[in-house]
Amino acid sequence: MLGTKRWNSIRWRIVLIYFLLVFIAMTIVSVFIVNQLEVYQLNSIRDNLTKTVKDSGLLTSFEVYDNLSSHSAEIQTTLDQGWKNSFQEEMSIVDTNFTIIASTNKNIIGKNAAELLNTTLLTTAMIGGKQAEADGVNLSNIPIKSIAFPIGEQENIIGTVYIRADLSNVFDFLTQSKLIFIRAMVLALLVTVVLGFFIAKSITVPINDVTEKAEKMAQGDFSQEVSVMSDDEIGRLAEMFNLLREKLNITLSEISNEKSKLETILHYMADGLIAIDLSGRIIHANPAARQMLGLTDPELEVKNCNDILRKYSKIFDLENLKENCKEGSGQEIFNYGASAFAVRYDRFRDENEEDVGIIIILQDITERQKLENMQTDFVANVSHELKTPLTTIKSYTETLMDGTIEDTEVARNFLNIIDTEADRMNRLVKDLLQLSRLDYKQEKWHKKDSNLIWLLRAVVTKVEMTAIQKEQHLNCIFDGEQKIMVTIDKDRIEQVLLNILSNAIKYTQEGGRIDIDAMRTDGQAKVIVTDNGIGMAESEIPRIFERFYRVDKARSRAMGGTGLGLSISRQIVEEHGGTIEIESQEGKGTKATIILPLAPIRGQRNIE
Ligand code: ATP
Ligand code: MG
């Protein structure tokens, strides 16, 4: 709990301060008053005595004697009658020999005054001729006031009247007064403690309230409002606390919104983000970074940058990162496995501009690099494909111009070759133009419901001659089938079928066999072309749909192939909502499957 119960709390300190203040004030006042009282009492006793002695005429009555000791009996009588009857104070008459010649105290008559009385007073009175007094105690330890009056004038002092007044009453009175003061002080202190406690409470209760609520706020509970009870300093404190709470609440909710926004951005951003502190500990890795580098949670929790990231590239070496960050942000590219990554990193700082860590941004640029490579390859391929026939045409025309044209037979042969090469170029350019139209979705489609069987028969007829020339057997299994309706652009699908069939013929040795089948399955139309030709390795299959890709470049080119057929075919089939798949075994043969959606059943059919 808070320090309300502790003895060093403000409440107890205030009580103590009040206590001490009252105590000190009362002590000073008491001491002063008691002192003054004492002085007053003693003065008043002296004044009374002096007045009494002087008024009584004793002094003047003694002055008439020339020698006191010779009149001691008369003097004793005067004392007994004139003084003792009226006053309690002891009065003694001392002559110039310091002998007590008469006294109201019978015990000291005739004794040496120097031994019993205060000699200083006697001397002052006797020699100095002045009245003298002193306070002290007698032999029985009773407080007394002694006053000596000279008898006679300056030169003719004949003795001293010595009075000893008992001060016990005065001191009793003073002791009583002190006791009264002590009692009053105890009472006043008790009242002060009680009052101080309540006054302190009125101050500390609101402070404790603020402290308690601040403690709850520190634990995250911002619903605490302090009640403002007064408009004094404490009231202001409560008001300010409430204001602070409100502001803090707003700021915190803003920060939390920002944080959640940032977290969402980090979570969904495509780039990988890793934050490390200066010791290399990984503070944050967003899902993209985890996925790119295959990082797991337990790995991230225990290990640091050098343990986890260093294996991907030496870029992630902590010292290297720190060094490179000194001159601003760094940017590098590294390959890991089949993937390529672009890395950017920079340090981040705290509010005092001190470096606290490094942020690393990872970008998977594998696809981008692949695309760039494909683009470069494409340009290189096109140039190469155009250059080959152009070189051939150029060399044959030069030979012809050099005179070979005279030899009609050779010239005809040469012109045939030039024509074939020009055709080849023409075909290539046509294919490229078609690809570009397909890429930019500019190809015009004339889709109609068509009978796939009829189309297949027409295609077979077109390639039949080539197959016959290669003594291949074209086996049309679909012959029993009459009608499979599909909604297609007939020319484009014919182009696809022609490519698949001519591939089968091209890449099957002489005397080979090609099976062509068509069927309706699962609401789809399926065309399967199987050959027992040269086939290809399984690893080649994904690549044959790439532009210009040919498994055996030389052989394919010799057969007039450019490697664009399958890539165009796939785009056409996919445009029709279908798929094209190739399965193959090297040396055994290839199976091409084209799947197209069936035409919806319509009332009015427009069959071609
Ligand atoms: P184009 O079709 O442009 O005249 P092409 O036939 O060489 O030329 P594609 O049809 O795209 O090009 O075929 C790509 C490559 O796939 C061919 O070069 C060939 O190596 C391989 N290929 C395609 N079909 C077969 C098949 N039936 N048997 C063996 N290899 C094949
Ligand atoms: Mg082909």
Side-chain angles (χ1 to χ4, degrees), residues 498-504 506-507 556 561-566 569:
L498 266 175
N499 181 44
I500 296 293
L501 267 178
S502 58
N503 278 355
K506 262 198 278 184
Y507 305 111
S556 177
T562 54
L564 291 174
L566 279 178
S569 301

Side-chain angles (χ1 to χ4, degrees), residues 427 431 499-500 503-504 506-507 531 534-536 544 549-552 556 560-567 582 584 590:
R427 214 171 48 240
D431 281 354
N499 181 44
I500 296 293
N503 278 355
K506 262 198 278 184
Y507 305 111
D531 64 58
I534 57 168
M536 67 193 107
I544 55 174
Y549 190 80
R550 287 160 295 193
V551 177
D552 182 343
S556 177
T562 54
L564 291 174
L566 279 178
S567 126
I582 304 280
S584 188
T590 306

Side-chain angles (χ1 to χ4, degrees), residues 67 75 144 195 413 475 543 560 570 587:
N67 184 344
I75 293 170
I144 49 160
L195 269 181
N413 254 341
N475 182 25
R543 301 212 58 192
R570 178 185 257 183

Side-chain angles (χ1 to χ4, degrees), residues 2-4 204-218 226 237 241:
L2 297 164
T4 48
T204 54
V205 163
I207 293 180
N208 283 342
D209 189 25
V210 171
T211 318
E212 247 171 64
K213 305 232 158 118
E215 198 181 30
K216 284 195 183 146
M217 237 164 77
V226 175
L237 174 71
F241 177 84

Side-chain angles (χ1 to χ4, degrees), residues 361-378:
I361 303 282
L362 282 168
Q363 230 177 347
D364 189 341
I365 53 163
T366 320
E367 282 303 314
R368 201 174 80 196
Q369 266 194 353
K370 216 179 192 170
L371 261 170
E372 280 170 7
N373 290 345
M374 269 167 71
Q375 254 174 358
T376 332
D377 285 356
F378 184 77

